[in-house]
Amino acid sequence: DVKVTQSSRYLVKRTGEKVFLECVQDMDHENMFWYRQDPGLGLRLIYFSYDVKMKEKGDIPEGYSVSREKKERFSLILESASTNQTSMYLCASSSPPRQFRYNEQFFGPGTRLTVL
Amino acid sequence: AQKVTQAQTEISVVEKEDVTLDCVYETRDTTYYLFWYKQPPSGELVFLIRRNSFDEQNEISGRYSWNFQKSTSSFNFTITASQVVDSAVYFCALSEARTGGFKTIFGAGTRLFVKA
């Protein structure tokens, strides 16, 4: 079974703090993703990575950065947390897409971050 | 612009009722994939089905069935004889060839309540 784990289920931070969200997958997937989930907006892609040390911006990268030093680990960093970053953060991984097969993503349980 | 529209924000049914979750998508690509995911209260999204743009066959898996119609850009999901365990948020998603299959666009989700 694919397992995607996230370092915390719940996190409370103060405005201006640096926040690290960690994600680890154990299926040797090349692709990893960070989303935030907000009511009425679905999942929005923050960043994704298709290989170690490679990253691409998603639809809402402002205020975030990422790090992928090892294949199994993908970190999301909030350099200076703000209240509008209060959200549910979901990590996912997948095999790379092939010409006739776009693969499903496997998700972690999410981290509910509250910034006060 | 929203490319995946799930117009039903919340649906409430009584156990054993049939329920259909609507999904309408928009894309200019001829090659794309559509997905449905389920997010139970535990928070972890679970993959349900993938369908590529060249395969309009409907699919049935137990109590679940999916109706893909390119003519109306819809990919609807029906649960027959609903059960309390079907209570969850359901997301429809689109992955387009122009992004190489790397980026998946999610709808806002439909929250399904199944009452005993």
Side-chain angles (χ1 to χ4, degrees):
Chain A
D1 261 5
V2 176
K3 202 75 174 158
V4 179
T5 56
Q6 296 184 227
S7 49
S8 307
R9 288 301 300 268
Y10 300 92
L11 209 53
V12 180
K13 295 292 181 180
R14 297 208 173 274
T15 302
E17 279 193 77
K18 191 168 186 175
V19 182
F20 293 87
L21 302 183
E22 305 283 340
C23 175
V24 177
Q25 51 94 5
D26 66 0
M27 283 303 290
D28 204 35
H29 282 163
E30 286 84 352
N31 297 345
M32 296 189 75
F33 308 83
W34 275 107
Y35 295 90
R36 62 177 283 176
Q37 181 181 2
D38 299 288
L41 296 177
L43 278 68
R44 293 179 292 166
L45 181 65
I46 305 172
Y47 268 95
F48 71 97
S49 168
Y50 52 89
D51 202 351
V52 175
K53 297 192 187 293
M54 306 304 288
K55 60 187 179 186
E56 292 282 343
K57 291 180 180 179
D59 299 317
I60 51 165
E62 297 79 20
Y64 304 95
S65 62
V66 290
S67 171
R68 191 157 180 210
E69 297 296 320
K70 294 185 177 181
K71 190 175 184 180
E72 68 271 18
R73 188 179 297 270
F74 192 34
S75 302
L76 180 68
I77 303 153
L78 287 66
E79 294 290 342
S80 178
S82 62
T83 54
N84 63 12
Q85 293 178 310
T86 292
S87 186
M88 170 72 90
Y89 290 88
L90 295 168
C91 176
S93 72
S94 74
S95 306
R98 305 292 182 215
Q99 184 179 7
F100 297 111
R101 182 181 173 91
Y102 293 176
N103 294 304
E104 70 273 23
Q105 295 178 27
F106 295 86
F107 285 82
T111 295
R112 187 166 292 283
L113 172 67
T114 302
V115 183
L116 302 174
Chain B
Q2 186 86 340
K3 294 193 175 185
V4 179
T5 302
Q6 295 179 254
Q8 304 147 308
T9 305
E10 288 187 0
I11 301 175
S12 185
V13 299
V14 177
E15 217 173 11
K16 297 189 181 140
E17 279 187 38
D18 298 348
V19 57
T20 295
L21 309 181
D22 297 333
C23 173
V24 174
Y25 63 93
E26 179 189 326
T27 180
R28 284 188 288 229
D29 282 352
T30 55
T31 301
Y32 54 89
Y33 273 77
L34 296 162
F35 302 82
W36 275 95
Y37 289 85
K38 174 182 179 180
Q39 185 180 38
S42 60
E44 197 167 314
L45 271 80
V46 175
F47 164 74
L48 294 177
I49 190 172
R50 165 187 43 240
R51 174 66 75 225
N52 76 51
S53 51
F54 301 107
D55 181 4
E56 283 192 77
Q57 271 195 329
N58 292 330
E59 180 150 342
I60 298 175
S61 176
R63 296 183 298 105
Y64 294 173
S65 62
W66 290 269
N67 184 315
F68 177 30
Q69 292 199 340
K70 286 175 76 170
S71 60
T72 56
S73 297
S74 65
F75 186 41
N76 296 337
F77 173 30
T78 298
I79 302 174
T80 303
S82 59
Q83 299 177 1
V84 172
V85 294
D86 296 327
S87 297
V89 181
Y90 291 88
F91 291 97
C92 180
L94 165 71
S95 192
E96 298 168 296
R98 67 181 182 87
T99 66
F102 283 101
K103 292 175 74 172
T104 302
I105 302 161
F106 287 81
T110 296
R111 184 178 295 276
L112 174 65
F113 295 98
V114 181
K115 294 180 281 192

